[in-house]
Amino acid sequence: MQTALRYALPIVFGLALFTLGSYLVVSTTSRSWFEDDVRRRAELAIRGAGDALSQSWARGDRVSVRRVLDDITRDERILAAAACAPDGSVFAQTADFPRSLPCSRFVARSLGNGQARAWNRAERVDGASVYLSALPVLSPGSVPLGAVGLIHDMSYAEERDALTRRAALGLFGVLAVSAIVLSTASARGSLRRFRNDLRNLVRGERSRGEFQPLLQDVRDLAAQLSPVNRAEETGRAWNPERLREVLHEHLQGEKVVIVANREPYIHDRDEHGALRVLHPASGLVTALEPVMRACSGVWVAHGSGPADRETSDKQGRIRVPPKEESYTLRRVWLTAEEEQGYYYGFSNEGLWPLCHMAHARPTFRDEDFAHYKRVNERFAEAVVSEVDRQDPIILVQDYHFALAPRLIRERLPRATILTFWHIPWPNPEQFGICPFREEVLQGLLGSSIVGFHVQAHCNNFVDSVDRYLEARIDRERIGIIHSGETTLVRPYPISIEWPNHWAQESPPAAACRKEVFAELGLKADALLGVGVDRLDYTKGIEERLLAVEQLLARFPQFQGRFTFVQLAAPSRTAIERYQQLNLNVESLAKRINERFGSADYRPVILQRQHHEPPRVFRYLRAADLCYVSSLHDGMNLVAKEFVAARDDERGVLVLSQFTGAARELTEALVVNPYDLKQASRALAAALTMRPQEQTERMRALRSLVSEFNVYRWAGRMLADAARLRQRDRLSQRLGGLASVEGAA
Ligand code: F6P
């Protein structure tokens, strides 16, 4: 308000001067017009009376002169008239001619100094504003008979003057108020623009041109001073301790709440009825479990294990990991119908094939989506019941929860919601076939940040939003502004824990090799290849076996010597496409074994069951090569686990170019899994690679994965969340100031 007044006062003062000047000019001009008018009326009146007046006067006929005077005063603006004799006496006068005006005054003015002339003057008589005229009257022989004095009514001139004054005052008022309103609005506009620019600066969004240099400097400085960035520059390794530091120093040790469909620990009973804990085969769990151990907080997940209920409390809570108990697992119970519609249906028959280019036709059913919605709501409610503040940090995981970010945002508007999509995001054309595409996108845009493994998936997501929603895309900062909210879209390539506790707890590589070889009945000089996956059509397991077949066909030296073992965890077995895959893989393995096998040689060994991580790591450490042949994969953490497992710096990774991991693990032998010739050649190259080269490649890979481990992945996301929260808090304060000022 003060700012507005500072601008408005000089304008108002100037306007006052202008209005006063205008009033004076208008008033003086109109008064002179009135006086001219009066003068002309007086002359006309006397001239109109003409001969009748002079002849009657010359005859001394006072009655006739009086009649003429009465006629003259019929003009509404002439109040009174008097015929004044040259000696100043009254010859005749109308009834209301005031006594205070002596005839001598009129005679003196019009007949003085021996001249006969008209005289006029504005005066106040008896408190009224009048105009006096005196006009000489001559006899037919041009001898002065006297003067006629007229009193004109000037009240109408006064009224007009008052009207002009009021109009001027009104005009002044309107102009002054407009000036105040305009300058206030303009001052507030400038202030708002300034504040928006400042807020944009704080949020790191684009600001108006003139602020750019200053804001960029401030931003750079802030970035330099940011402790999170300083930590990045120190070259310190990312580990649980450093992740905890980020959480404690930059997020005040705030509790992290993760929402993910898959739980990190599944309770089950073995064949003897004894309770056991299983670790699911899931890249998501592989990555997030170490993060939760480091951060503590709550993991909200579907309680899918047969013994989950009996091991949880009434609210579905249990402290995990067993014996360590560093965070809470909150289990959400789903009915069989909910699980069918939400998990098998919309998530895995709809979104999963939609997002993977693996030639599986997505199936969308209304009833599945209704269950998906309901389950997302139930998880959002579970999250809200687990937070202890209005602005918690919530990590939403994966395609099972596309709607949850919006549902959580509705319940907790100040939450920082980081959503990570663990699978690829398709291009807009492909995404467009989803009948619920708008709801899926709107749901995700409830997030503060949406993360993908690679930039290409970020771009696809932004393009999908651009195509199907009314939203503003900030392509410079890769942000989406939708319904007044901003969602940043960022690549965070996921990784594994390093050092890896499963690898550390495993026997030495040589011992693993011995053990595994014995288990599989392999000769000491045998060559072993390994594949580890959920039995999923996106993993390219059929193509992998076909490449093995080609290897044996094209490079017969490996027949009888090379064995490929596939550890395949059954997955989503209620879905027909997975049942089909299971049959295909089985018959393929059978065919290859029949074609190249013998009584004591099985080129393909298929182990279709759940494998606990210690066993997986033993196999990874025992093998000569690991083949990851995904047809399309967001990242693929088995590739990174193979690298983590090989502390002996041996073994070769053959990696599909269609995995996110291929962008980072460039020392692997990168292949197109559909190109069986190329893939089989790569397998042969791996099996014949000199130990020296294996070491060089593995060392480079280990160095990369150790540096870009999962603590860095989580640390970068949490650091971005911390920056976002700082900016939001600052911009809320600026918003608060704005509303205080607005109220003032
Ligand atoms: O890598 C992550 C991931 O592919 C998830 O997207 C998926 O949820 C998980 O692994 C395993 O699948 P599921 O939870 O259906 O067993």
Side-chain angles (χ1 to χ4, degrees), residues 191 257 276 279 306 316 420 424 468 478 585 655 707 717:
L191 203 61
V257 178
R276 65 177 178 184
H279 302 81
F420 193 79
Y468 301 114
I478 318 286
V585 168
L655 180 60
E707 191 181 336
M717 280 210 295

Side-chain angles (χ1 to χ4, degrees), residues 460-514:
N460 282 349
F461 177 71
V462 170
D463 290 345
S464 302
V465 172
D466 200 13
R467 178 82 60 95
Y468 301 114
L469 292 187
E470 286 291 327
R472 191 162 70 76
I473 309 294
D474 181 346
R475 292 200 180 265
E476 206 170 299
R477 295 185 53 243
I478 318 286
I480 295 165
I481 298 102
H482 179 254
S483 306
E485 292 166 357
T486 301
T487 301
L488 300 180
V489 183
R490 293 278 177 278
Y492 301 106
I494 206 166
S495 195
I496 56 169
E497 66 168 334
W498 195 288
N500 189 286
H501 79 284
W502 298 118
Q504 283 180 324
E505 289 164 16
S506 298
C512 289
R513 188 170 174 91
K514 215 166 161 194

Side-chain angles (χ1 to χ4, degrees), residues 262 281-284 343 348 352 398-400 422-423 534 572:
R262 188 57 67 202
S282 158
L284 181 154
Y343 174 76
N348 287 313
W352 180 268
D398 228 349
Y399 60 98
H400 310 90
H422 287 257
I423 62 177
R534 280 182 309 103
R572 307 170 192 171

Side-chain angles (χ1 to χ4, degrees), residues 191-208 211 214-215 218-219 727 730-731 734 737:
L191 203 61
R192 197 174 305 120
R193 272 199 303 279
F194 173 80
R195 201 174 285 125
N196 281 346
D197 279 348
L198 201 55
R199 201 172 290 140
N200 288 345
L201 159 74
V202 170
R203 288 183 185 143
E205 287 170 8
R206 215 160 18 155
S207 67
R208 281 166 5 114
F211 267 96
L214 170 66
L215 297 189
V218 175
R219 204 175 288 150
R727 286 168 189 165
L730 191 53
S731 76
L734 286 169
L737 275 181

Side-chain angles (χ1 to χ4, degrees), residues 525-564:
D525 67 342
L527 295 167
L528 179 65
V530 66
V532 180
D533 308 84
R534 280 182 309 103
L535 204 40
D536 193 296
Y537 53 85
T538 62
K539 301 297 178 185
I541 300 171
E542 289 154 286
E543 286 73 10
R544 191 179 307 171
L545 297 187
L546 288 172
V548 169
E549 185 178 36
Q550 286 261 332
L551 170 83
L552 297 176
R554 295 178 64 226
F555 304 94
Q557 66 270 34
F558 296 117
Q559 291 177 17
R561 217 182 146 205
F562 176 69
T563 295
F564 189 83

Side-chain angles (χ1 to χ4, degrees), residues 66 127 138 179 268 294 307 353 378 401 537 565 721 741:
R66 164 76 188 268
L138 305 178
D268 187 15
R378 294 196 47 205
F401 296 116
Y537 53 85
V565 61
E741 270 185 39

Side-chain angles (χ1 to χ4, degrees), residues 128-374:
S129 177
V130 293
Y131 194 81
L132 305 179
S133 305
L135 292 125
V137 179
L138 305 178
S139 69
S142 295
V143 177
L145 294 171
V148 172
L150 299 175
I151 301 175
H152 303 267
D153 178 15
M154 288 296 280
S155 65
Y156 74 97
E158 275 201 331
E159 273 166 23
R160 294 240 173 118
D161 196 37
L163 199 67
T164 312
R165 209 165 42 239
R166 278 201 300 276
L169 263 175
L171 180 70
F172 167 72
V174 169
L175 287 176
V177 169
S178 313
I180 290 172
V181 169
L182 281 177
S183 45
T184 306
S186 133
R188 287 174 68 88
S190 318
L191 203 61
R192 197 174 305 120
R193 272 199 303 279
F194 173 80
R195 201 174 285 125
N196 281 346
D197 279 348
L198 201 55
R199 201 172 290 140
N200 288 345
L201 159 74
V202 170
R203 288 183 185 143
E205 287 170 8
R206 215 160 18 155
S207 67
R208 281 166 5 114
E210 68 261 36
F211 267 96
Q212 216 54 52
L214 170 66
L215 297 189
Q216 195 52 52
D217 287 352
V218 175
R219 204 175 288 150
D220 291 348
L221 189 63
Q224 277 168 24
L225 293 176
S226 158
V228 178
N229 284 10
R230 277 209 313 272
E232 292 237 345
E233 279 162 22
T234 56
R236 265 181 65 200
W238 277 97
N239 51 32
E241 195 187 311
R242 190 170 160 191
L243 183 60
R244 270 193 294 271
E245 274 173 31
V246 170
L247 205 59
H248 288 272
E249 286 176 27
H250 311 301
L251 293 162
Q252 291 76 49
E254 287 165 11
K255 187 164 91 172
V256 168
V257 178
I258 284 186
V259 197
N261 171 70
R262 188 57 67 202
E263 55 184 341
Y265 298 96
I266 297 175
H267 283 90
D268 187 15
R269 288 200 176 269
D270 65 16
E271 58 274 25
H272 310 295
L275 203 61
R276 65 177 178 184
V277 179
L278 299 179
H279 302 81
S282 158
L284 181 154
V285 171
T286 303
L288 282 166
E289 209 280 330
V291 171
M292 281 307 278
R293 265 189 281 132
C295 296
S296 85
V298 185
W299 182 313
V300 183
H302 171 208
S304 59
D308 277 356
R309 276 186 197 262
E310 61 184 278
T311 49
S312 315
D313 69 12
K314 276 201 201 104
Q315 280 76 37
R317 295 198 186 101
I318 176 174
R319 295 287 291 169
V320 288
K323 297 197 183 94
E324 205 181 305
E325 301 192 356
S326 48
Y327 65 95
T328 300
L329 169 59
R330 161 78 190 272
R331 285 164 168 158
V332 175
W333 314 115
L334 301 180
T335 63
E337 294 76 44
E338 280 174 335
E339 188 179 5
Q340 177 57 45
Y342 141 80
Y343 174 76
Y344 290 108
F346 190 69
S347 295
N348 287 313
E349 287 193 277
L351 290 177
W352 180 268
L354 179 76
C355 292
H356 289 91
M357 288 194 287
H359 323 291
R361 182 194 287 261
T363 304
F364 295 106
R365 302 178 196 96
D366 286 350
E367 58 273 27
D368 288 349
F369 190 63
H371 279 302
Y372 184 85
K373 252 189 197 164
R374 179 73 201 114

